[in-house]
Amino acid sequence: MKDTGIAPQLSTSGGANTHRFKSFRQRIDAIEINVARRIERDLDEPDEHGSYFAEAVSKWNELNCTKDYTEFLHRVRAYHQSLAQVLYHKDDIVCILEDYLSLDHELALEPMLDLVTTLARDLQEEVLPYYERLVRKIMPLIKSNTPEIVEAASNALAYLFKYLSKSLVDDLRPTFSLISPLLGVERQQSGVRRFAAESLSFLIRKLRGDALQKFVEHVIHALVECPAEQLVGFRDGIALLFFECMRSVKSQLHSRASGMLVALLRELYKEEYSGTRLESNDVYVLVVEVLKLCLHHADREAAEQLWSVLLDQFDAQARAVSEAEAV
């Protein structure tokens, strides 16, 4: 039977028809990546000498009996009996995982992606030398035509960011540059841009003060330098990124929303006015798109904080211009 990309799903809407079909697009749209609200994992805390990676291998022994996973298990068997073994053989484990993190091993990808995140929990900062290699192996999987793989890869990326957050937030610019192809530097489906934005937003919310401003400045510079043929897609991806940082649940905005908007406006004010229409300025269009996304999401009360920031910033900018002209 030909695979049409349409899978049956249980209907929760009531009525006599208990099953309905969801298209690939509907299934992709239903995926939500949010590690901040999904802290619990389905693994028990290991004992003093135990390992998250070893616990996960044990779990998947029962859940995945494919040829690829069995082969992987044979290769890694001597390296994961204890946390000490995992730490000592980390080079070998990462190399073996890399071999299976591809669509050539599709049936074993879900356990492989889960094992990447559990290995990061075990190694903590010691996984940093392998961080870029692992992210580059995960990124192509987010573009898969299989929704389950898309979700597993997106979650793996998000949890990798979460477990390494203390080290990564010191300077998020390399991480942004690393995943910028998923945000639109390269042609992507809208779902891929959304997953990348949701994954990275968890880290960006941790930035404060100068660190936040430097990050926003780096993002704006990347936007300005983007090739014209990919500019619109990349700008949409960046708008989604900042929107995901600013939104919260139930039509509310995150506590970091005001600070994020101020940082964006400061970069906008750096732009030199060339006498052309504002709509032709990429930074202006980006800020407008971010505001549109926020205002469509937020209720009236939540949106008031954005209006307050805009009015305060406009007043401050007007005073600065007046004082400069008076000199």
Side-chain angles (χ1 to χ4, degrees):
M1 181 177 178
K2 184 179 180 180
D3 184 3
T4 63
I6 299 177
Q9 301 289 330
L10 184 64
S11 174
T12 58
S13 59
N17 185 9
T18 58
H19 287 81
R20 60 190 173 92
F21 286 87
K22 281 188 175 183
S23 67
F24 175 80
R25 176 63 181 272
Q26 288 172 321
R27 295 169 71 191
I28 290 295
D29 288 345
I31 297 173
E32 182 176 3
I33 312 300
N34 194 329
V35 295
R37 300 202 301 271
R38 295 175 56 187
I39 296 176
E40 293 299 326
R41 300 289 292 206
D42 51 0
L43 293 176
D44 295 329
E45 289 283 334
D47 58 33
E48 182 181 355
H49 302 290
S51 153
Y52 288 107
F53 181 80
E55 293 282 348
V57 170
S58 178
K59 178 190 74 172
W60 286 108
N61 286 348
E62 302 175 6
L63 298 177
N64 192 295
C65 299
T66 64
K67 177 183 177 181
D68 285 340
Y69 184 76
T70 302
E71 182 184 276
F72 163 81
L73 184 62
H74 177 74
R75 293 179 62 184
V76 82
R77 190 184 304 276
Y79 302 146
H80 73 277
Q81 301 305 314
S82 67
L83 179 59
Q85 276 193 328
V86 171
L87 294 173
Y88 183 77
H89 294 289
K90 56 184 181 291
D91 288 343
D92 298 298
I93 293 174
V94 170
C95 288
I96 294 172
L97 281 171
E98 286 180 308
D99 288 343
Y100 292 89
L101 284 171
S102 77
L103 292 174
D104 294 334
H105 304 283
E106 183 171 343
L107 296 179
L109 275 176
E110 188 176 357
M112 294 303 118
L113 290 163
D114 183 44
L115 290 170
V116 167
T117 62
T118 55
L119 180 65
R121 291 188 81 176
D122 280 343
L123 298 184
Q124 298 182 41
E125 291 186 356
E126 290 189 43
V127 83
L128 287 174
Y130 316 104
Y131 166 70
E132 182 174 341
R133 287 164 51 185
L134 290 171
V135 171
R136 290 192 183 279
K137 295 294 289 188
I138 293 171
M139 285 169 56
L141 305 179
I142 298 178
K143 297 182 281 187
S144 166
N145 291 323
T146 305
E148 291 79 9
I149 293 178
V150 174
E151 182 169 19
S154 300
N155 275 306
L157 191 63
Y159 277 107
L160 196 59
F161 290 160
K162 174 180 171 61
Y163 298 143
L164 297 177
S165 61
K166 289 183 179 179
S167 299
L168 295 179
V169 294
D170 289 340
D171 187 0
L172 271 184
R173 292 172 294 182
T175 294
F176 171 82
S177 298
L178 181 61
I179 72 161
S180 60
L182 296 180
L183 288 168
V185 167
E186 299 174 1
R187 185 179 296 276
Q188 304 291 352
Q189 297 180 0
S190 59
V192 172
R193 293 197 296 267
R194 178 168 67 86
F195 298 142
E198 289 176 353
S199 300
L200 188 56
S201 64
F202 174 80
L203 292 176
I204 299 174
R205 286 173 174 173
K206 295 180 176 293
L207 299 178
R208 301 289 189 275
D210 290 342
L212 174 61
Q213 197 64 53
K214 288 179 181 178
F215 175 79
V216 174
E217 181 181 16
H218 178 75
V219 173
I220 297 300
H221 178 74
L223 173 64
V224 173
E225 295 297 318
C226 181
E229 60 270 20
Q230 299 299 338
L231 179 61
V232 174
F234 191 35
R235 190 175 62 212
D236 289 346
I238 293 174
L240 274 174
L241 176 64
F242 286 121
F243 166 63
E244 288 297 333
C245 297
M246 296 169 70
R247 80 178 182 101
S248 187
V249 298
K250 296 181 179 180
S251 300
Q252 299 300 302
L253 293 174
H254 195 269
S255 60
R256 299 295 303 140
S258 295
M260 201 70 61
L261 180 56
V262 169
L264 281 169
L265 290 173
R266 285 174 178 167
E267 293 306 311
L268 176 59
Y269 295 151
K270 293 178 183 178
E271 295 291 298
E272 294 184 5
Y273 181 59
S274 60
T276 59
R277 292 172 59 86
L278 280 174
E279 289 80 0
S280 64
N281 183 288
D282 295 323
V283 183
Y284 170 80
V285 175
L286 171 67
V287 174
V288 170
E289 288 301 314
V290 173
L291 285 170
K292 284 181 179 178
L293 289 170
C294 289
L295 293 175
H296 279 298
H297 166 77
D299 58 25
R300 181 175 179 178
E301 183 178 352
E304 286 182 358
Q305 64 173 294
L306 297 183
W307 293 119
S308 296
V309 169
L310 287 171
L311 292 173
D312 289 345
Q313 288 296 308
F314 292 162
D315 286 344
Q317 190 70 6
R319 287 195 301 270
V321 171
S322 297
E323 289 172 0
E325 290 176 347
V327 174

